[in-house]
Amino acid sequence: MNRLVSKLLIYRDMPKDSILMELSAICEEAESADFHKEELINRIYRQIKRILVVATEYGFNRNLWQNYLTFLLIMNENPFSITCEKTGAKTGSVNHFAKNDFKIFMQLFHYDFSALEKKLGIDCFSCITNYEAIEKPELMYNKNVSEKVQCLSLELESAADEEEFFHCITTFYKDYGVGAFGLNKAFRIQAVENNQILFQAINNMDKVVLDDLIGYEIQKKKLVDNTKAFVEGKKANNVLLFGDSGTGKSTSIKAIVNEFYKDGLRMIEIYKHQFKHLSQVIAQIKNRNYKFIIYMDDLSFEDFETEYKFLKAVIEGGVETKPQNILIYATSNRRHLIRETWKDRNDMETENGMHHSDTMEEKLSLAYRFGVTINYSKPSQKEYFHIVTELARKNHITLSEEEICREANKWELSHGGISGRTAQQFINYLAGMN
C-alpha cells in the first residue's frame, strides 16, 4: 500500500495522521523482517476504530473501506477538484496527473488485505469490507452525505478503468462540489486557526418547506423572488426580515435554503460576537461555485454594542466589493436593528428647515443597507384560527374546526398570545394527546 500511496501527486498532501497514511505506514512496516506483531495489531485496531467512527457518523454500510476512500476523494480540496467544481472536467495536462492518481485509487479500492490479516492473525479488514450496520434513526447521521457517498462508492467500485473512474469523480465534483460545502446545506463557524475559518456542518437542519408556514404569502413571495434571482446569477439584495416574534421569520429562511439547496445555495449562520471575522469568512467562500447566504438570526444591538460597524462595512461601504455569490439575510424583532432612545435626539440640528440627528442617522444606516425589508407582523385572530386549522389538517387532527378554534383561543391566552409559533405549539400539544 505504501508503494501505491507514495505515487500520488494531486492527492498526496494528506495529513500524516489520516487513516490512509497511517495504514500505509503499517503495511510498510509489516513487510520488514523485524516487525513487532502486537504493536502493529494495536495500531491497525486504532485505525479500524476510526473508520467505524466515520461510518457511524455518516451512516455508511457495506464496504466501509471503499466508503472511506470515496469520502476522502470527495472532501479533498485541491486545485484540480475545485476547478472541476467550477467548470467540470476540461481538457488539459492536469488530467494526466489526475488519472494517474485515480488509477492508484482504483488499486486501493480493491486492495487485498488478506495477506496482512494472515500474517498478523486478524480478520478486521474482512469485517469492514462486508459490514452490516445497525439500523438507526436518520437524525443520528447526515442522510444527505450518506446517500451521496455510498452511491458514488458503488460507481467507483465498478469502474472499468481510470478513465471511467475519472468521469465518475469529476462529474460528482461538478454536480455537487467538493469538500464540506458540496455535501451540506448549512454551516456555522467552529473556530479560527491561523487566520483561517473552520466551518462546522449543521447536520440536523430542520427540513421545513415554505408550505409548512401558513399564511404570509406576500412575504414568502418576496423572499423567494429575491433568492431565485440570486441563485440564477442575477442582481439580488440583502434581506432583513423584521417583525413580531414567532411569526415565521427564521422558518422562512430555513425553508428557502432547503428549497434552493439543489441549485447550489448554502447557508452560513454567524453570531454577533463573530462579526469581527466576517471579512475572513467572505474571503474563504468568495471563489467557490456556490451561492452563500450569511444568516444572522434575531439580530439587534444595544447602545453599548459596536459590532454592527463590522456588519455595515461588509454589507456596503468597505473598500472591497462584496462578492456576487454572497448575500446577507437577517431576522430581527426590531425594524431598525439598533435600540433607539429619546437621548438620540439630543444632537438634533436644524438645517434648511429639516431636523437632523447624527446619532439617529448612524443607527438607521444599518437597516437601510438591506435592499429588501420584509415585515412579519402578528396575525389577526382570524388569521390565527386559519393557521391553527390548516396545521391541524396537516397533522391529521380529527377535532372539528369549531372545537379546534375554541381550544386554540384558550391556549393562546396562557401561552404568549397570538402568533404562528403559538399555533404550532398548540398543534404539537393536540398531536401529543392523540
Side-chain angles (χ1 to χ4, degrees):
M1 183 183 289
N2 185 65
R3 286 190 290 272
L4 291 173
V5 173
S6 64
K7 294 176 183 177
L8 291 172
L9 194 152
I10 293 176
Y11 291 86
R12 72 177 297 112
D13 293 327
M14 285 177 278
K16 288 186 178 180
D17 63 348
S18 66
I19 297 171
L20 178 60
M21 298 304 287
E22 289 280 2
L23 286 177
S24 174
I26 291 169
C27 289
E28 183 181 28
E29 289 185 35
E31 293 175 0
S32 65
D34 58 346
F35 70 89
H36 192 285
K37 180 178 178 180
E38 295 304 321
E39 181 186 348
L40 286 188
I41 291 175
N42 184 40
R43 288 170 61 188
I44 286 173
Y45 283 173
R46 280 203 295 267
Q47 302 313 311
I48 294 296
K49 181 183 177 182
R50 291 176 68 188
I51 291 176
L52 291 173
V53 169
V54 173
T56 302
E57 182 177 355
Y58 293 101
F60 296 158
N61 204 356
R62 204 181 57 84
N63 193 322
L64 302 189
W65 172 244
Q66 292 181 349
N67 286 337
Y68 162 70
L69 291 177
T70 303
F71 185 70
L72 201 63
L73 287 166
I74 289 173
M75 296 298 290
N76 194 294
E77 296 182 6
N78 57 62
F80 172 76
S81 61
I82 291 177
T83 299
C84 289
E85 172 188 279
K86 292 180 180 179
T87 63
K90 300 292 184 181
T91 55
S93 299
V94 70
N95 289 354
H96 170 76
F97 299 115
K99 289 174 184 177
N100 172 73
D101 281 10
F102 293 150
K103 186 176 182 178
I104 293 168
F105 266 101
M106 280 189 67
Q107 296 176 70
L108 291 172
F109 250 69
H110 302 284
Y111 191 83
D112 186 1
F113 289 99
S114 60
L116 181 64
E117 287 185 319
K118 184 177 181 180
K119 180 181 287 189
L120 298 179
I122 57 178
D123 65 354
C124 52
F125 291 104
S126 298
C127 289
I128 67 166
T129 53
N130 187 25
Y131 188 76
E132 186 176 347
I134 299 172
E135 290 188 13
K136 53 187 180 290
E138 290 178 11
L139 289 176
M140 290 185 65
Y141 63 92
N142 190 327
K143 184 180 180 182
N144 186 52
V145 174
S146 176
E147 290 178 346
K148 287 179 180 176
V149 170
Q150 293 186 93
C151 285
L152 180 60
S153 179
L154 289 171
E155 290 181 28
L156 296 177
E157 179 188 16
S158 60
D161 51 32
E162 63 268 25
E163 291 286 344
E164 190 174 338
F165 201 98
F166 174 89
H167 175 74
C168 292
I169 289 288
T170 54
T171 300
F172 185 94
Y173 287 156
K174 178 58 179 173
D175 290 346
Y176 300 106
V178 60
F181 290 136
L183 295 173
N184 299 278
K185 296 178 184 178
F187 306 82
R188 60 172 60 96
I189 295 176
Q190 182 179 25
V192 182
E193 293 182 3
N194 300 321
N195 211 35
Q196 285 287 106
I197 303 294
L198 301 181
F199 294 104
Q200 178 185 25
I202 301 174
N203 294 332
N204 58 343
M205 183 173 165
D206 197 342
K207 296 180 180 179
V208 64
V209 295
L210 285 170
D211 285 344
D212 293 333
L213 181 63
I214 309 301
Y216 299 98
E217 298 303 325
I218 295 175
Q219 290 89 336
K220 290 188 291 186
K221 186 178 186 306
K222 288 178 71 174
L223 188 61
V224 168
D225 289 347
N226 190 75
T227 308
K228 188 171 185 292
F230 177 50
V231 298
E232 290 176 352
K234 301 175 183 176
K235 293 290 185 180
N237 287 296
N238 301 308
V239 180
L240 172 63
L241 288 71
F242 72 95
D244 300 298
S245 61
T247 51
K249 301 183 294 294
S250 300
T251 300
S252 295
I253 293 181
K254 293 172 189 174
I256 280 291
V257 175
N258 288 330
E259 182 165 335
F260 289 97
Y261 165 71
K262 63 184 183 300
D263 300 305
L265 185 66
R266 304 292 185 268
M267 181 176 79
I268 297 174
E269 184 175 22
I270 187 168
Y271 303 111
K272 193 159 48 178
H273 68 277
Q274 298 170 327
F275 284 0
K276 59 186 176 184
H277 302 305
L278 269 170
S279 296
Q280 294 162 277
V281 170
I282 291 173
Q284 283 185 224
I285 63 177
K286 66 181 180 180
N287 292 321
R288 300 303 298 269
N289 194 36
Y290 305 98
K291 303 292 183 180
F292 289 95
I293 287 176
I294 296 180
Y295 171 49
M296 304 166 185
D297 190 31
D298 198 18
L299 187 63
S300 64
F301 301 91
E302 300 300 326
D303 286 341
F304 59 86
E305 294 177 313
T306 59
E307 289 91 344
Y308 72 91
K309 295 181 184 291
F310 292 108
L311 182 54
K312 283 175 62 178
V314 167
I315 295 178
E316 189 179 320
V319 174
E320 186 178 9
T321 303
K322 182 165 64 64
Q324 293 185 350
N325 70 325
I326 298 171
L327 283 183
I328 294 174
Y329 281 18
T331 68
S332 179
N333 295 335
R334 292 176 179 169
R335 168 65 178 85
H336 294 140
L337 300 178
I338 305 172
R339 183 170 178 262
E340 301 171 64
T341 67
W342 287 107
K343 291 181 180 179
D344 296 339
R345 299 175 181 267
N346 288 345
D347 61 346
M348 191 75 75
E349 298 176 358
T350 302
E351 182 179 335
N352 296 327
M354 298 292 291
H355 292 288
H356 173 74
S357 166
D358 289 338
T359 303
M360 292 177 66
E361 283 296 312
E362 168 74 9
K363 290 189 171 185
L364 294 176
S365 63
L366 175 58
Y368 290 159
R369 297 191 182 198
F370 288 88
V372 174
T373 55
I374 306 174
N375 181 19
Y376 281 69
S377 57
K378 183 185 296 186
S380 65
Q381 189 170 64
K382 181 179 178 181
E383 290 169 331
Y384 171 67
F385 287 155
H386 173 66
I387 294 172
V388 168
T389 54
E390 283 297 306
L391 288 175
R393 182 180 60 79
K394 286 176 177 284
N395 286 271
H396 310 292
I397 304 296
T398 57
L399 295 175
S400 68
E401 186 172 323
E402 183 180 345
E403 288 177 298
I404 291 172
C405 292
R406 183 172 63 249
E407 293 302 315
N409 189 50
K410 294 177 185 177
W411 179 271
E412 64 89 3
L413 290 173
S414 58
H415 290 83
I418 292 174
S419 72
R421 179 182 294 140
T422 303
Q424 183 63 66
Q425 290 169 346
F426 170 64
I427 295 301
N428 291 344
Y429 166 75
L430 287 183
M433 296 298 290
N434 287 343

